[in-house]
Amino acid sequence: MAAGQRAKDMTVGSPMKLILFFSIPLLIGNIFQQLYNMVDTIIVGRCIDEKALAAVGLTGPMSFLVIGFVMGLSSGFAVLVAQRFGAKDEEGMRHCVGIMIILAAVVTAVVTLLAIVFTRPLLRAINTLPELFEQSYQYIVTIFAGIFTTVLYNILACILRALGDSRTPLYFLMVSSVLNIGLDFLFIVNFGLGVMGAALATVLSQAVSGVCCFLYIAKKYPVLRLSKKDFRWDFKIAAKHMGIGLPMAFQFSITAIGVIVLQGAINLFGESRIAAYAAASKVEQLVSQPAGTFGVTMANFSGQNLGAGRVDRVRKGVRQASFLTLCFSVLGMIVLLTCGEALTGLFIKEDAVAVDEIISASMHYLRICAAFFPFLFMIFIYRNALQGIGHSFMPLMGGVMELVVRCAAALILPGLLGFTGVCLAGPLAWLSAAVLLCISYFVIIRRVEKEYGKTQEMEISGSTIL
């Protein structure tokens, strides 16, 4: 199959080895992506002040709501591409990519418009302090205006990963990360653009990584060179894309709604706690990157193997990925407990008035998160394995479970436990979703095995008759 030298068929070979080697460059890429998001916050916090840090930090859930939606949609669209690749159907794969591009363009335009229109009302709804409002608005509206750059990179990166190539997106993301740091200093320190400069740096660097991916695919992947016929509209393929992509997108958005409600509760505790939560949540997201990495790997691994009719390999892959991700969750716990204070200190000026209070509150949050890390990590394995085999409903319900528990905790626990109640909201949501998804996976995978077993028996019977 002339799909480029870096394309990887995940339907043959050791699942453990394939999962690990596919995940390593993806993990590095995710860390780089998280780092350049962190750099914005670090430079804002150290080069401006803690008020700017709080202003940028409180927009995180809003960004997660919108950017998470389009990223989830991109990942969902790529599942069908992975299945066609696993089935060795090149023509069908190209047609899926063509429809994927059309859908992505339409969704991006609609989401960008809605996000910009509702930015101010949403900032008011989450109790944004008046002294932080304008800085928060400038930062997040600039990010929303550049959503198309995020979609460009993620669509192309997801296509490459669906073909088993997790290294190429990493290389371009590394270039983008270094560029982002340089642009941050240029726009914030040299040009004095404040928080808007940080947002512009993010958008421009993301655009560079997207353009690099496009040029690379055009040159190195003949199998992905689309013709006019690949863009002919097909309602059946579009429906399949949306059937997988929308639940994944809504799953991110549903989770984000819970985080927004939680942010509204945090904002009532004042600037210091807002800044502490902003710094600590960035550290938590960085340390938990292996969870998302193994999740993306399992979506592609499961999709390719389902396309090849190898449900047995899906089950084996999930089992081995679960072991790996639990090991990484323990490592993450150790990092949070031993290095959390040093990492959160990066976000704060040494002469900040409330530096001790901010770091103390940050560590309180991180210690609670560390205790629940195994549940967070397992969510990604079961959720993405189910999505990879085309079962998106229960992963969506897992997101609903997170929303309900996080909102209930955010509304009830702060009144009972103060800031500790805020810190517990996320971890309790992880626990509830992990239990639901674990049970769902084992029920559904047995059903899929039976369905494929019957299909294979019919094919053997038909061959015998012929």
Side-chain angles (χ1 to χ4, degrees), residues 137-152:
Y137 176 78
Q138 290 174 10
Y139 179 82
I140 196 61
V141 82
T142 305
I143 293 292
F144 287 161
I147 287 173
F148 71 96
T149 65
T150 301
V151 174
L152 176 64

Side-chain angles (χ1 to χ4, degrees), residues 102-288:
I102 295 172
L103 291 172
V106 173
V107 170
T108 300
V110 173
V111 169
T112 301
L113 177 62
L114 292 175
I116 292 174
V117 168
F118 287 101
T119 295
R120 284 189 180 276
L122 193 52
L123 283 170
R124 294 189 185 96
I126 61 173
N127 306 312
T128 303
L129 298 177
E131 58 269 29
L132 303 179
F133 193 95
E134 283 307 315
Q135 287 193 84
S136 296
Y137 176 78
Q138 290 174 10
Y139 179 82
I140 196 61
V141 82
T142 305
I143 293 292
F144 287 161
I147 287 173
F148 71 96
T149 65
T150 301
V151 174
L152 176 64
Y153 171 76
N154 280 283
I155 282 287
L156 297 176
C158 286
I159 290 172
L160 287 170
R161 290 168 189 151
L163 272 62
D165 181 1
S166 59
R167 286 187 290 168
T168 299
L170 161 65
Y171 299 147
F172 296 134
L173 195 56
M174 291 170 69
V175 172
S176 175
S177 300
V178 174
L179 178 62
N180 183 71
I181 294 171
L183 291 175
D184 269 328
F185 281 109
L186 179 66
F187 292 153
I188 296 174
V189 179
N190 290 24
F191 293 169
L193 295 179
V195 295
M196 184 183 290
L200 284 172
T202 297
V203 171
L204 290 175
S205 57
Q206 189 81 64
V208 169
S209 62
V211 171
C212 287
C213 275
F214 175 79
L215 295 175
Y216 182 86
I217 289 173
K219 183 177 180 180
K220 297 292 186 179
Y221 280 83
V223 73
L224 289 174
R225 290 175 187 169
L226 307 183
S227 61
K228 186 177 180 180
K229 68 177 183 178
D230 296 317
F231 290 95
R232 72 183 187 278
W233 186 251
D234 187 312
F235 282 102
K236 186 176 180 180
I237 293 176
K240 286 182 177 179
H241 272 317
M242 298 302 286
I244 299 173
L246 279 177
M248 292 180 75
F250 285 132
Q251 161 204 304
F252 277 99
S253 295
I254 287 171
T255 302
I257 291 170
V259 178
I260 288 174
V261 173
L262 179 59
Q263 185 68 55
I266 294 166
N267 290 348
L268 296 175
F269 284 87
E271 282 182 23
S272 295
R273 296 300 171 91
I274 297 172
Y277 183 79
S281 61
K282 290 290 184 184
V283 174
E284 174 236 308
Q285 289 162 18
L286 175 65
V287 176
S288 65

Side-chain angles (χ1 to χ4, degrees), residues 330-343:
V330 173
L331 179 62
M333 294 167 67
I334 294 171
V335 171
L336 286 185
L337 295 175
T338 58
C339 305
E341 185 170 336
L343 290 172

